[in-house]
Amino acid sequence: MKVLCGTILAAVVAFKVAYGIDCADVSVADFPRLAGESGDSSRIMRAIEKAGGGGVVWFPRGEYEIDSMIVVSNQSSLLMHKSAHLKAVREMPFVLKYFGRLMEARNADSSGIVDHNLFIKGGDIDGAGLAGCAHVMGLRHFTMADTTFRNGKDVGLQFGDPNLPRDIEGGYEIVANNLYFICNKPGLAGNVGLLTYIGDSHFTDIVVVDYTTGIRDMKWSNRYTRCHIWGGIVKKAGTDKPEMLENSVAFDLCGIDSVLTDCYADTAMIGFWVRNDARIFNCGYFNNWHFKMDNPTVFRHDKGHLIVTGGRFSKNSPNATLYTAGKGAGELVWRDNYTLKFTAAEMAGLSEKLKKTVSSNSATSQNLAGDGN
């Protein structure tokens, strides 16, 4: 009996550790709806206020009807069961808004410590076509991990706000890992999956499905690793055409010195829209012809210096353009890339930029590398 009890106790402890329950200070489950409350936002806010600065709020598995925007401004962190589903039930700017405001020493606690371990982890945040999913700002070294952002009205996840003073909206050193963005309802064309106005950050293992723009970078020195953007599931109402692919962009690189490694632009009208200095290593482009999206552009290079190495860029539609250069396009370094099935005319922009003829015959053809210009 002692052995059995010991085994059960160990299993309970393991469960609590696995789901982070023992790491939380407050559980939303302990804050029921009050009389007259038809949604869950008010009780969630009571839990957040109870946790206070440095506290961790636990969201158990379940459905949460968000009837007003949840605003976190007291430096508590959010830990959600993977099946905690926060869903907007009326229009609002975002389901969740997080103000960090703990960037510098003037925000330290009484012992002089600035909390750089704040986080949002887990959960499924659903804008339901009524709201953006989450907006995070005012942070230094903040972690987001293991979260789904579903059906964001204008944006899935936004970092920073250029309309506010930097000491309020700004931040740096975001660490984002294992985030999933997906739209599965029509009427949201034109939205952005991940939008960042915060720089010096790392985004790893991100998947974006059916947001019109997958990732839009507006700042500087952000690093993206193993990010996969694709679309085509959501159909335009009353048609068989994919709604999100019209005017779609996988990676919209407006920031300075964006670095992409092992990223995949999978079915978008523009794979990589380069609007400032960028470096793109071991990345790929593929156009899934199942969605009948013809004449995409792999690289639209409008401004800045661009390095592309070790890539594989495949044409799978009747027509396509590999590369175009705008008037502001700077130096292009193009090395060790496979360019598959493009005609000479479809590669003319690249040939002109490199001042040498680049050909593409088959998957086994010799790759011609350019040294820049």
Side-chain angles (χ1 to χ4, degrees), residues 46-114:
R46 289 194 290 273
I48 290 168
E49 289 165 7
K50 179 67 174 178
V56 177
V57 181
W58 166 247
F59 289 70
R61 175 178 183 165
E63 299 292 320
Y64 299 85
E65 296 183 354
I66 307 304
D67 52 340
S68 63
M69 186 167 63
I70 299 167
V71 180
V72 182
S73 59
N74 65 352
Q75 290 83 56
S76 59
S77 292
L78 309 182
L79 180 63
M80 295 181 262
H81 188 285
K82 71 177 186 65
S83 299
H85 183 209
L86 283 64
K87 182 178 180 180
V89 293
R90 62 180 58 171
E91 289 189 1
M92 62 190 78
F94 290 91
V95 172
L96 170 65
K97 198 158 196 172
Y98 194 107
F99 288 92
R101 294 178 178 165
L102 279 180
M103 291 174 56
E104 308 300 345
R106 65 180 179 273
N107 293 314
D109 63 18
S110 58
S111 62
I113 295 175
V114 177

Side-chain angles (χ1 to χ4, degrees), residues 338-360:
Y338 285 100
T339 51
L340 312 179
K341 303 180 183 178
F342 291 88
T343 67
E346 292 167 337
M347 302 185 72
L350 180 62
S351 296
E352 181 180 356
K353 183 67 174 177
L354 297 175
K355 297 182 172 57
K356 62 189 296 184
T357 300
V358 182
S359 64
S360 174

Side-chain angles (χ1 to χ4, degrees), residues 314-343:
S314 177
K315 172 194 169 186
N316 294 84
S317 54
N319 304 283
T321 300
L322 179 61
Y323 173 91
T324 64
K327 292 181 179 179
E331 178 187 27
L332 170 66
V333 176
W334 180 275
R335 294 195 182 103
D336 303 323
N337 296 302
Y338 285 100
T339 51
L340 312 179
K341 303 180 183 178
F342 291 88
T343 67

Side-chain angles (χ1 to χ4, degrees), residues 134-137 155 157-162 169-174 176 181 192-203 213-224 252-256 258:
H135 188 188
V136 177
M137 64 177 70
V155 63
L157 170 61
Q158 177 176 330
F159 290 108
D161 186 339
E169 67 79 21
Y172 45 100
E173 298 170 2
I174 300 295
F181 299 78
V192 180
L194 171 62
L195 169 62
T196 181
Y197 294 95
I198 291 178
D200 296 345
S201 298
H202 298 176
F203 301 94
T213 297
I215 292 176
R216 176 172 289 154
D217 185 319
M218 300 297 295
K219 210 62 174 180
W220 51 62
S221 300
N222 287 319
R223 272 59 180 154
Y224 300 89
D252 188 2
L253 306 177
C254 305
I256 300 171
S258 301

